[in-house]
């Protein structure tokens, strides 16, 4: 299975943008890039996903490198509620429902 | 719209016992998948069910099993419990199976402690 590499932890100040990086050098051509986050004592929550083009939704933006070997999740204005573990995941080709989670990035938002 | 409901939320068992966990997906979602989360191994995929059939299975021993009912509700069972089975068991539902991947909706999990 293709693996992802993320920093163990990052810090951000409240109301500033946050760029969470993810490396996935062994990604296959049909693997989607998914991002989920997990707040304390909750199940993971979907954030965004993409294949090749950059994606935007109400929660975040996903910037995908041209060679698809890395991607960046962008939170435009971090709030205290964004403090969570963020997982970058490659979906098994053809199925989004078998996701291999890595260790994720613990995001701390400072007031 | 009601979310994914998992019961029980917390339970304590002893080694050798068996346990059954329940998951009610979001109405209209036909795919249900299960994950195990532990501090050491992180989130690991157990299995996925769609239309009462197991479609994918992770790398877990046969003590871990599941099923899905005609109303899409799912149960997972762990027999002959071991200390290492202590974990948060998460259920996720999804409205589609094949094609463009969609969003997984997770429940809050069932926290199992094996003594």
């Amino acid at each position: 299975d293709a693996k992802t590499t993320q920093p163990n932890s990052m810090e951000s100040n409240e109301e500033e943008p946050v760029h969470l990086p993810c490396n996935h050098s062994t990604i296959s051509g049909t693997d989607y890039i998914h991002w989920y986050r997990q707040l304390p004592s909750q199940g993971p929550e979907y954030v965004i996903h993409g294949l090749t083009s950059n994606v935007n939704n109400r929660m975040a933006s996903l910037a995908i490198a041209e060679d698809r070997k890395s991607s960046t999740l962008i939170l435009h204005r971090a709030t205290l509620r964004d403090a969570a573990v963020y997982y970058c995941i490659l979906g098994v080709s053809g199925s989004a429902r078998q996701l291999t989670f890595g260790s994720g990035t613990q995001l701390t938002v400072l007031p | 719209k009601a979310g994914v409901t998992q019961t029980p939320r917390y339970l304590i068992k002893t080694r050798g016992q068996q346990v059954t966990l329940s998951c009610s997906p979001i109405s209209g979602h036909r795919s249900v998948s299960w994950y195990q989360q532990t501090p050491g191994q992180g989130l690991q995929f157990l299995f996925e069910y769609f239309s009462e059939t197991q479609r994918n299975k992770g790398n877990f021993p046969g003590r871990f099993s599941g099923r899905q009912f005609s109303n899409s509700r799912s149960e997972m069972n762990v027999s002959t419990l071991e200390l290492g089975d202590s974990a948060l068991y998460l259920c996720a539902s999804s409205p589609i199976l094949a094609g463009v991947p969609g969003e997984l909706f997770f429940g809050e999990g069932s926290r199992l402690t094996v003594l």
Side-chain angles (χ1 to χ4, degrees), chain A residues 11-18 77-82 108-111:
Chain A
E11 279 187 357
S12 172
N13 293 319
E14 197 176 8
E15 298 192 3
E16 290 187 355
V18 182
R77 289 183 68 214
T79 69
L80 296 178
R81 292 179 57 199
D82 291 323
T108 300
V109 180
L110 304 173

Side-chain angles (χ1 to χ4, degrees), chain B residues 95-107:
Chain B
I96 53 176
L97 174 65
V100 177
E103 180 177 345
L104 283 177
F105 295 81
F106 283 85

Side-chain angles (χ1 to χ4, degrees), chain A residues 71-91:
Chain A
S71 61
T72 302
L73 178 71
I74 303 164
L75 306 179
H76 296 288
R77 289 183 68 214
T79 69
L80 296 178
R81 292 179 57 199
D82 291 323
V85 178
Y86 285 79
Y87 295 98
C88 167
I89 305 148
L90 300 184

Side-chain angles (χ1 to χ4, degrees), chain A residues 98, chain B residues 30-34 45-62 64-69 74-77 97:
Chain A
Q98 179 178 343
Chain B
R30 297 170 64 191
S31 170
V32 173
S33 51
W34 289 87
F45 172 78
L46 280 157
F47 27 65
E48 178 207 355
Y49 287 87
F50 181 83
S51 292
E52 303 177 65
T53 302
Q54 187 180 91
R55 297 301 178 109
N56 291 299
K57 185 172 170 32
N59 188 25
F60 278 82
F64 292 81
S65 63
R67 59 178 176 168
Q68 186 180 34
F69 302 94
S74 177
E75 287 181 348
M76 68 161 284
N77 183 278
L97 174 65

